[in-house]
């Protein structure tokens, strides 16, 4: 098997797995009458967990290694505080972007 064929086979297997996972939720949708409150609570936390998993490496490893003294990290911390206190997405983005731009302008 050439490496190109292996990559295409891997992509096909990943695509099939993704399709089966999505199909399983559609198949279960009509069979479950009520989702338990604990499951609803866990499902409500998934978007925040995914967002944190995407953002945290970008602000803590901006230069490829752990660096907590960057403008990105400071802006991320302030944005997290605003998100925690206000639960407002627009205010969080505005504060995070504003602090990042100010600190980048001051440091350059």
């Amino acid at each position: 098997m050439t490496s190109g064929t292996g990559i295409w086979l891997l992509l096909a297997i990943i695509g099939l797995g993704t399709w089966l996972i999505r199909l399983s939720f559609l198949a279960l949708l009509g069979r479950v009458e009520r989702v338990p409150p604990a499951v609803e609570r866990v499902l409500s936390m998934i978007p925040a967990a995914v967002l944190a998993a995407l953002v945290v490496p970008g602000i803590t490893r901006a230069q490829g290694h752990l660096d907590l003294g960057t403008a990105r990290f400071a802006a991320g911390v302030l944005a997290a505080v605003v998100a925690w206190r206000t639960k407002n997405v627009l205010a969080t983005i505005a504060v995070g972007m504003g602090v990042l731009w100010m600190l980048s302008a001051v440091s350059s």
Side-chain angles (χ1 to χ4, degrees), residues 77-91:
V77 168
L78 286 174
V81 169
V82 169
W84 172 53
R85 298 298 294 173
T86 67
K87 298 186 183 346
N88 185 326
V89 174
L90 290 178

Side-chain angles (χ1 to χ4, degrees), residues 9-33:
L9 182 61
L10 180 64
L11 290 175
I13 291 170
I14 291 171
L16 179 64
T18 302
W19 182 76
L20 287 174
I21 290 170
R22 291 180 180 191
L23 179 67
S24 68
F25 282 106
L26 292 174
L28 289 175
L29 187 62
R31 298 177 188 220
V32 177
E33 291 185 20

